[in-house]
Amino acid sequence: MSGRDLYDDIGTGYSSGRRTDPRWMAEVLAALGGALRIADVGAGTGSYEPRDRTALALEPSVEMIRQRPPGASPAVRAVAEALPVRDDSVDAALAVLTVHHWTDWRAGLAELRRIAPLRVVLAYDTRRHTEFWFVREYVPEIAALELTRPSADDIAHELGAGTVTPLPVPWDFTDGVFPAYWRRPAAYLDPGVRRACSALAQTDPGAVERGIGRLRADLHSGRWHERHRDLLGLDEWDAGFRLIVSRR
């Protein structure tokens, strides 16, 4: 299933679960520096789109575009592999947690290089996600999917990145990315939370339901808290997210 088809299918209510976290927003803005014209590729609902400069959202999913808030930047339906943007016509190309959904991620990154001298990409270490307790202990089937996706190191290499900055996930993170609830496991019992996570939406529903059943039982018995007491004292955790910056 392509990114467009996936998010047309699961995107309903996406904006309520995937809210901008100001700590990550600050990192994205710092990486964009003085860039004034931004192409937000795979923009989704625009969670990390700068509001203080000119931006064009490029997004294939009608459902995602529909949920963009009032006053958001204009949006054009487009896929990353064939952007309707002229060569070097923007200062920066921004791509936040989208590359792993592209049909041909290398072609998409070539498009980022074509349209902008600065590329800012937020991606993640796929192997780190396979080690996440939810995957390892409850839905190991997710690992097979994650390992088919381009990892942050692959993307950084392809772009010839100048910097790769880890972005830890605070315990009270407001953006419901898949590992966001690493210290709040009961959140995964909520179908709305699961629906906003593509890794769960693309995994066999039977496997997910079995895993959720085991998690529910472990939370009820206290087994999860006993097993993961080391996490409960942490304010943030490295789930493998990386901010990749490439300049020409």
Side-chain angles (χ1 to χ4, degrees):
M1 182 181 289
S2 70
R4 175 183 59 198
D5 295 337
L6 173 68
Y7 281 101
D8 279 343
D9 185 46
I10 72 168
T12 303
Y14 186 87
S15 58
S16 62
R18 301 296 298 272
R19 301 187 307 278
T20 309
D21 189 279
R23 292 158 289 194
W24 274 19
M25 188 75 227
E27 296 284 356
V28 169
L29 291 174
L32 289 171
L36 297 177
R37 298 169 300 163
I38 313 296
D40 187 5
V41 181
T45 60
S47 296
Y48 293 94
E49 214 161 82
R51 301 287 187 253
D52 60 346
R53 54 195 93 184
T54 301
L56 172 65
L58 299 155
E59 167 58 46
S61 167
V62 172
E63 182 60 34
M64 289 288 113
I65 292 174
R66 186 187 66 77
Q67 293 180 67
R68 292 175 63 80
S73 303
V76 174
R77 287 193 74 194
V79 296
E81 297 87 348
L83 297 174
V85 179
R86 295 191 303 274
D87 295 1
D88 290 318
S89 59
V90 293
D91 300 319
L94 175 65
V96 176
L97 297 179
T98 177
V99 176
H100 58 283
H101 292 307
W102 297 353
T103 302
D104 183 340
W105 63 273
R106 289 186 174 87
L109 294 181
E111 283 288 87
L112 299 192
R113 292 196 299 270
R114 178 182 67 79
I115 68 171
L118 171 65
R119 284 77 58 171
V120 176
V121 178
L122 177 52
Y124 63 92
D125 180 339
T126 54
R127 189 162 296 280
R128 181 73 171 159
H129 274 212
T130 68
E131 296 166 355
F132 178 37
W133 60 257
F134 186 94
V135 177
R136 189 178 64 247
E137 298 167 19
Y138 297 102
V139 190
E141 292 83 356
I142 292 173
L145 169 66
E146 292 289 10
L147 293 177
T148 67
R149 293 171 159 180
S151 195
D153 285 348
D154 302 320
I155 295 166
H157 177 76
E158 189 73 14
L159 285 174
T163 61
V164 178
T165 305
L167 294 188
V169 180
W171 78 269
D172 57 350
F173 201 51
T174 59
D175 185 348
V177 293
F178 174 42
Y181 306 99
W182 57 270
R183 210 183 91 174
R184 296 172 286 168
Y188 293 108
L189 304 183
D190 182 345
V193 166
R194 300 199 298 274
R195 202 160 41 239
C197 300
S198 66
L200 289 168
Q202 290 182 277
T203 300
D204 172 45
V208 174
E209 285 303 316
R210 288 191 296 273
I212 291 299
R214 291 194 294 271
L215 175 59
R216 183 179 288 109
D218 284 353
L219 290 173
H220 180 73
S221 69
R223 185 181 181 194
W224 186 93
H225 290 81
E226 178 63 27
R227 183 186 294 160
H228 297 290
R229 62 172 63 187
D230 58 318
L231 294 179
L232 300 177
L234 299 179
D235 290 330
E236 61 182 24
W237 178 67
D238 181 7
F241 292 102
R242 303 291 182 261
L243 190 61
I244 299 162
V245 179
S246 166
R247 290 183 174 83
R248 198 167 52 232

